[in-house]
Amino acid sequence: MAVLLLAEPDEFSRQALTLARGLGEVETVSIGADAGLPVERAHVAEGLGAYAPGAWATALEEVIDRVQPSAVVAAGTERGNEVLAHVGARRDLPLAANCVALGDNGGASPGEPLTVTRVRWGGSLLEEARIHSPLPLLSVAPHTVVAAEGAGSPAVETFTPALSESDLVVQVTEHVDEVANGISLAEAKVVVSGGRGVGSADGFGILEELAGVLDAAVGCSRVVTSAGWRPHTDQVGQTGTKVSPDLYIACGISGATQHIAGCKGAKRILAINSDAEAPILASADYAVIGDLTEIVPAITAELRKARSA
Ligand SMILES: Cc1cc2nc3c(=O)[nH]c(=O)nc-3n(C[C@H](O)[C@H](O)[C@H](O)COP(=O)(O)OP(=O)(O)OC[C@H]3O[C@@H](n4cnc5c(N)ncnc54)[C@H](O)[C@@H]3O)c2cc1C
């Protein structure tokens, strides 16, 4: 039996493909155009406009009915989770979100519960779950599985899903550009992030300057967005963006588990904090203990000096 993967042309779907392959032969379902993943068969829904979770779920359900898969997988992105949640709610099926691995019975035979490991509580614990379902729905936590490589030239089957008005009740009407300095937080190689220790919205000026020198994106903690110093789109953490840069510079951030859940994918963390006992030091690769209003401008000045030399 085939495994269906809701696929978009991005790294997250490639990561989900790796996990889905452990369940059987994968066929992709994409909206608008083939996602270009290395699979044998791709189903492409045509005639859909802007993203509408109900419409995507209907498209996916049409392929489910046609293919009768053994499982349905999506990337654990906001879209992937949202579309699978719609399918689960409509069909009264459980959804195991944020899976990171399959259990020993990855290719469980029909009737047997499928076992998976998934991240819970913002990444602070791993849960082993048994899914008792005639059709397991799984999403794959971003950055936890190696992405499948290679380009695909699958046999593409296009179809036009029969949408109802209710499928379009929720749909994207406008895109607001979140990209600062042309660098998106989720994809930045360097992130300069600030917490309560920055002190104010204006205090972020020195972080912006450092980010400019490093071609970095600026992020922040939830305290900062709650205070209105930065927009919610800049928030890193369990309820914000998950980042995986080469370097994450945490300035005046204490390192609450909910914040670390968003930045633990970073290759290196540099903490700048006045408190030598701050919890972030347990996650940091490098630390500078001191006042960020002195340290951040000093780093910027040194970088500028080094580059002009
Ligand atoms: C359900 C839930 C979800 C949450 N989701 C998120 C989330 O997605 N992201 C998130 O960030 N938080 C989240 N939180 C909140 C989280 O628990 C913390 O409250 C928050 O991360 C703390 O932010 P902070 O580190 O900026 O502030 P604080 O914890 O107050 O830390 C400030 C730090 O700044 C340092 N500091 C102060 N002045 C200076 C200075 N001049 N120079 C250098 N260092 C200085 C201090 O030593 C301290 O370590 C969530 C909480 C809950 C309950």
Side-chain angles (χ1 to χ4, degrees):
M1 278 162 103
V3 174
L4 288 183
L5 170 67
L6 177 66
E8 295 195 66
D10 58 24
E11 279 299 289
F12 305 120
S13 292
R14 286 183 175 274
Q15 293 162 12
L17 173 59
T18 301
L19 185 134
R21 280 177 171 162
L23 293 165
E25 186 161 331
V26 180
E27 300 183 12
T28 56
V29 183
S30 303
I31 311 296
D34 175 39
L37 268 54
V39 294
E40 295 293 312
R41 185 170 301 278
H43 306 265
V44 175
E46 295 184 327
L48 281 74
Y51 173 66
W56 283 39
T58 295
L60 184 52
E61 284 194 283
E62 285 196 13
V63 186
I64 290 171
D65 289 338
R66 217 165 39 241
V67 172
Q68 297 290 314
S70 59
V72 182
V73 181
T77 55
E78 294 199 357
R79 279 190 185 186
N81 282 326
E82 186 173 35
V83 174
L84 285 191
H86 275 259
V87 173
R90 289 177 186 181
R91 301 202 161 207
D92 200 18
L93 294 171
L95 161 60
N98 293 319
C99 298
V100 297
L102 300 170
D104 291 340
N105 70 341
S109 45
E112 264 186 58
L114 174 68
T115 58
V116 294
T117 305
R118 62 191 196 123
V119 282
R120 302 294 307 270
W121 296 98
S124 55
L125 68 86
L126 291 173
E127 173 191 86
E128 297 217 338
R130 275 191 292 280
I131 307 167
H132 296 263
S133 172
L135 179 61
L137 307 177
L138 316 178
S139 73
V140 180
H143 304 301
T144 58
V145 177
V146 177
E149 288 187 4
S153 51
V156 175
E157 287 180 20
T158 58
F159 67 105
T160 306
L163 301 182
S164 65
E165 239 174 70
S166 62
D167 286 331
L168 302 171
V169 168
V170 175
Q171 60 178 302
V172 170
T173 55
E174 187 191 0
H175 284 277
V176 179
D177 198 356
E178 294 178 14
V179 176
N181 307 329
I183 301 154
S184 98
L185 189 55
E187 287 162 16
K189 293 280 177 218
V190 181
V191 174
V192 180
S193 202
R196 194 197 305 268
V198 174
S200 66
D202 289 344
F204 272 83
I206 54 173
L207 275 66
E208 297 269 11
E209 267 193 62
L210 177 57
V213 173
L214 290 170
D215 286 334
V218 174
C220 67
S221 71
R222 188 163 100 167
V223 164
V224 168
T225 54
S226 300
W229 301 345
R230 306 286 298 186
H232 178 73
T233 48
D234 285 1
Q235 184 180 315
V236 172
Q238 179 183 332
T239 45
T241 302
K242 312 266 188 301
V243 298
S244 51
D246 292 339
L247 178 64
Y248 186 77
I249 306 178
C251 311
I253 293 175
S254 62
T257 48
Q258 296 91 352
H259 186 83
I260 299 298
C263 64
K264 68 179 179 189
K267 292 207 182 85
R268 295 272 186 277
I269 296 179
L270 162 63
I272 301 173
N273 201 299
S274 51
D275 177 5
E277 304 292 321
I280 188 128
L281 299 186
S283 308
D285 299 278
Y286 315 104
V288 183
I289 306 302
D291 185 344
L292 70 90
T293 60
E294 291 167 15
I295 293 157
V296 173
I299 296 173
T300 308
E302 282 302 316
L303 284 169
R304 285 198 175 123
K305 220 191 290 171
R307 283 179 189 186
S308 62

